[in-house]
Amino acid sequence: MILRKMTLAELTTVLDWAASEGWNPGLDDAAAFLAADPDGFFVAELDGALAAAISVVNHSDSFAFLGLYICHPDYRGRGIGMALWTHALAHAGDRTVGLDGVPAQQENYRRSGFVYASETARFEGVLSPAPSASLRPAEAADLSGMIARCAAANGYGMEPFLDSWLRPAGTRQTLVFEGEAGGPGFATWRRCQRGVKIGPLVADSLETARALLHGIAAEVPGEQLVVDVPREMTELAAHCRAEGMDCVFSTARMYRGAAPIAGSGIHTIATLELG
């Protein structure tokens, strides 16, 4: 068995594995994921074939995030995944490491030193479109401000990832809200294997968050929208439910090390794989 860094082509394959698991990745995720930390994606290779994958992305000198932990069905039950887990976690050094895992795996994560901190609920549904003159596409000049606002909202920075993620791609766009009412905000939407995921969304108020959600709905009318809402965002979750979106599952946010302190306002997860 060989434990080594993942290539871009292999990351595309692993995202196909994720799609088979029902994780519904975006169509243009691979390059932006790898830009976050090119040394933070790992595979286990056995007899020349990919057997397992994981990412431990070092977002900053103090914070890392674990995701994309998948063992191919043909290689499960042989200890390959755990060997890769241990190998990849060493990449984080003494950083705090976060993850979003299914609740059924919480006990396994606890055994590796992770402590439960919160939950994230995934809402899916079709929202009513509401175009707004206060919305415009993000520009390069907006990047530094958006990255800083994400860091304040999350309690941790992830500049290399967001510098790529917030730029337009073939199937990914970011909208900025500049209306006077509700305060500023922005949100990224991307086409996925199924529907359109929204994240991150960062807003000063629920009013701005609503304008962004329904403005994106106007960009992709009739599409199934997906948004990952932290437990603390009760107003936004209530709005999603009131608009007919269903909570289809939840994940447990856990940390090994000191948990970051989230800021005020409204915010959602960019992608469960990278935090």
Side-chain angles (χ1 to χ4, degrees):
M1 181 170 61
I2 299 172
L3 306 178
R4 59 170 176 79
K5 287 196 300 185
M6 191 187 304
T7 67
L8 178 59
E10 287 167 341
L11 178 53
T12 300
T13 297
V14 170
L15 289 171
D16 288 338
W17 290 4
S20 298
E21 295 288 330
W23 296 1
N24 194 26
L27 302 181
D28 280 314
D29 284 357
F33 277 19
L34 203 62
D37 178 3
D39 296 325
F41 293 80
F42 304 89
V43 293
E45 179 184 322
L46 192 63
D47 298 328
L50 296 185
I54 195 171
S55 60
V56 178
V57 168
N58 291 341
H59 283 306
S60 71
D61 290 341
S62 60
F63 188 79
F65 204 84
L66 184 153
L68 278 179
Y69 184 41
I70 311 175
C71 189
H72 191 280
D74 292 346
Y75 297 95
R76 291 174 183 170
R78 299 165 62 176
I80 296 171
M82 182 52 65
L84 184 61
W85 168 281
T86 303
H87 174 78
L89 269 175
H91 177 64
D94 60 0
R95 294 170 176 83
T96 289
V97 182
L99 62 79
D100 284 310
V102 294
Q105 293 296 322
Q106 283 186 49
E107 187 56 39
N108 289 332
Y109 299 140
R110 283 193 189 97
R111 287 196 286 269
S112 292
F114 287 84
V115 177
Y116 173 88
S118 185
E119 292 182 8
T120 300
R122 170 160 292 180
F123 288 92
E124 293 190 6
V126 178
L127 289 175
S128 56
S132 171
S134 297
L135 294 174
R136 63 166 176 82
E139 302 170 352
D142 299 311
L143 272 175
S144 61
M146 292 190 296
I147 290 170
R149 291 199 65 192
C150 276
N154 293 327
Y156 55 87
M158 41 185 178
E159 183 172 353
F161 167 61
L162 291 173
D163 185 69
S164 178
W165 191 254
L166 298 175
R167 295 177 187 271
T171 61
R172 189 178 62 247
Q173 299 290 327
T174 298
L175 294 181
V176 172
F177 180 87
E178 290 187 323
E180 293 182 5
F186 65 91
T188 300
W189 63 267
R190 75 195 201 273
R191 292 195 178 277
C192 295
Q193 301 276 347
R194 180 176 54 83
V196 171
K197 286 184 180 177
I198 299 172
L201 182 153
V202 179
D204 278 4
S205 68
L206 181 62
E207 183 178 1
T208 298
R210 286 198 303 258
L212 287 161
L213 287 174
H214 294 273
I216 290 172
E219 296 279 323
V220 289
E223 294 271 12
Q224 190 86 359
L225 300 181
V226 182
V227 59
D228 294 319
V229 181
R231 181 183 61 192
E232 295 77 14
M233 301 294 110
T234 54
E235 287 184 313
L236 183 59
H239 177 72
C240 290
R241 291 190 182 94
E243 289 294 317
M245 300 183 83
D246 296 320
C247 180
V248 295
F249 70 83
S250 65
T251 58
R253 173 61 67 96
M254 304 180 75
Y255 296 102
R256 190 189 72 174
I261 300 174
S264 59
I266 304 290
H267 66 275
T268 70
I269 306 298
T271 167
L272 293 177
E273 290 76 22
L274 269 71

